[in-house]
Amino acid sequence: ISRARRKLPGVNAPPPKAKIMAAYYEKLTNLFWVSENYLFHAFAWYKYYSLCKEYNRSMSAETRSMQASAVLLAALCIPTSHADIVKNSKTGSKRAVNMSGSDRLAIQSTAEDDIAKEKMARMATLLGFHTREPSREAILSEIWARNIMDDVPQYLRELYIILEETTDPLDMVEKANPLLEKLRAETGVTVDSSSSTTTDDEDEDDNTLARYVKPLTNVLILKLIFNLSAAYHTISLDHVKKLTSGLGITFE
């Protein structure tokens, strides 16, 4: 039996080398980026960065900073879920005794959310992520717990504060816009050319931090709308256009 067991593929096999696993997660970052799955894109970046930092002793401080920045920006690109919005919203209206159409829709949405969460949990396990409940909050907590912020430039820390802690809708875009413009000018690649598995025919911009400007702008607009709805009962479209004038978006 032991002889037959040794012949079985994968039985008692040594774990893959760190370099192979790093290449695997690097490929996943590109795969999930193209599919616009920002949640798994961020977790793949977190795994890739962790492997590179632990096993690539020759990684330069510049590359480590670029990769740490990519982990943070990838996490910030994850949109706030509808469930989080509902959970954090506070209303003073009383519930009706009879179930309304919106109640039935809410129950249906909750059931669908549970199914989606279970699928994500299985996928996270298959991909070797550290949690069965991947979320925006989970990876941001990991970033702080693992001191990844220590390797992130100051202007990106300021951008994090604006997106995560600022609640004043009147100046958040004004403060974030120059930081996004600085990010747009970033040209340094986030992977070592010597260890990268990226092929020559892939877009070079896909390996720069500048690619995160567009999804971050979408998150910023979403946060702006949330903050405006919390601060005002009504607001004119012209005022919203004025607040977002520096972002280069249209309302046509």
Side-chain angles (χ1 to χ4, degrees), residues 88-162:
N88 294 330
S89 65
K90 296 181 180 179
T91 60
S93 59
K94 295 182 179 180
R95 303 281 297 182
V97 175
N98 296 327
M99 184 179 294
S100 64
S102 60
D103 290 328
R104 288 192 293 269
L105 180 60
I107 293 176
Q108 181 180 356
S109 299
T110 301
E112 293 175 352
D113 289 343
D114 290 340
I115 295 174
K117 286 181 180 179
E118 180 59 31
K119 289 181 178 180
M120 282 201 303
R122 291 199 297 266
M123 179 67 74
T125 300
L126 289 173
L127 295 176
F129 295 154
H130 67 283
T131 177
R132 278 182 53 84
E133 297 182 359
S135 66
R136 193 176 195 270
E137 292 74 20
I139 192 168
L140 287 175
S141 296
E142 284 293 317
I143 289 174
W144 282 105
R146 301 290 181 177
N147 298 320
I148 296 178
M149 279 290 192
D150 293 345
D151 293 327
V152 174
Q154 179 61 33
Y155 83 96
L156 292 183
R157 298 182 198 180
E158 295 174 4
L159 182 61
Y160 167 86
I161 293 174
I162 293 172

Side-chain angles (χ1 to χ4, degrees), residues 15-250:
K17 294 183 178 179
K19 185 175 182 180
I20 296 177
M21 293 304 299
Y24 167 70
Y25 285 112
E26 181 193 348
K27 286 294 186 181
L28 285 183
T29 63
N30 292 325
L31 173 65
F32 290 127
W33 174 259
V34 172
S35 63
E36 296 186 358
N37 188 331
Y38 296 131
L39 178 63
F40 280 0
H41 170 75
F43 273 93
W45 248 119
Y46 171 75
K47 292 287 290 187
Y48 176 61
Y49 166 81
S50 299
L51 286 167
C52 289
K53 186 175 181 180
E54 183 175 357
Y55 295 103
N56 187 1
R57 303 299 182 183
S58 62
M59 184 169 61
S60 65
E62 179 183 4
T63 299
R64 185 170 62 252
S65 176
M66 296 292 287
Q67 291 188 359
S69 299
V71 176
L72 174 63
L73 294 173
L76 291 176
C77 286
I78 303 171
T80 303
S81 67
H82 177 266
D84 291 334
I85 299 173
V86 173
K87 181 177 62 177
N88 294 330
S89 65
K90 296 181 180 179
T91 60
S93 59
K94 295 182 179 180
R95 303 281 297 182
V97 175
N98 296 327
M99 184 179 294
S100 64
S102 60
D103 290 328
R104 288 192 293 269
L105 180 60
I107 293 176
Q108 181 180 356
S109 299
T110 301
E112 293 175 352
D113 289 343
D114 290 340
I115 295 174
K117 286 181 180 179
E118 180 59 31
K119 289 181 178 180
M120 282 201 303
R122 291 199 297 266
M123 179 67 74
T125 300
L126 289 173
L127 295 176
F129 295 154
H130 67 283
T131 177
R132 278 182 53 84
E133 297 182 359
S135 66
R136 193 176 195 270
E137 292 74 20
I139 192 168
L140 287 175
S141 296
E142 284 293 317
I143 289 174
W144 282 105
R146 301 290 181 177
N147 298 320
I148 296 178
M149 279 290 192
D150 293 345
D151 293 327
V152 174
Q154 179 61 33
Y155 83 96
L156 292 183
R157 298 182 198 180
E158 295 174 4
L159 182 61
Y160 167 86
I161 293 174
I162 293 172
L163 291 176
E164 295 302 305
E165 300 178 9
T166 299
T167 58
D168 186 354
L170 299 181
D171 63 355
M172 62 182 303
V173 173
E174 182 180 356
K175 291 179 178 179
N177 195 40
L179 303 179
L180 290 173
E181 287 302 318
K182 186 173 182 178
L183 178 60
R184 195 189 304 275
E186 290 282 5
T187 57
V189 296
T190 54
V191 295
D192 282 325
S193 58
S194 59
S195 61
S196 174
T197 58
T198 304
T199 56
D200 293 337
D201 58 344
E202 292 181 9
D203 188 357
E204 183 180 357
D205 288 340
D206 283 348
N207 286 328
T208 66
L209 297 179
R211 66 176 174 174
Y212 291 107
V213 171
K214 183 176 180 180
L216 285 173
T217 300
N218 293 336
V219 171
L220 177 61
I221 294 173
L222 191 60
K223 294 280 187 178
L224 173 65
I225 294 174
F226 290 163
N227 290 339
L228 285 173
S229 65
Y232 299 96
H233 290 292
T234 60
I235 188 171
S236 67
L237 181 59
D238 289 338
H239 188 47
V240 176
K241 289 180 179 180
K242 182 179 179 181
L243 291 176
T244 59
S245 60
L247 297 178
I249 62 173
T250 60

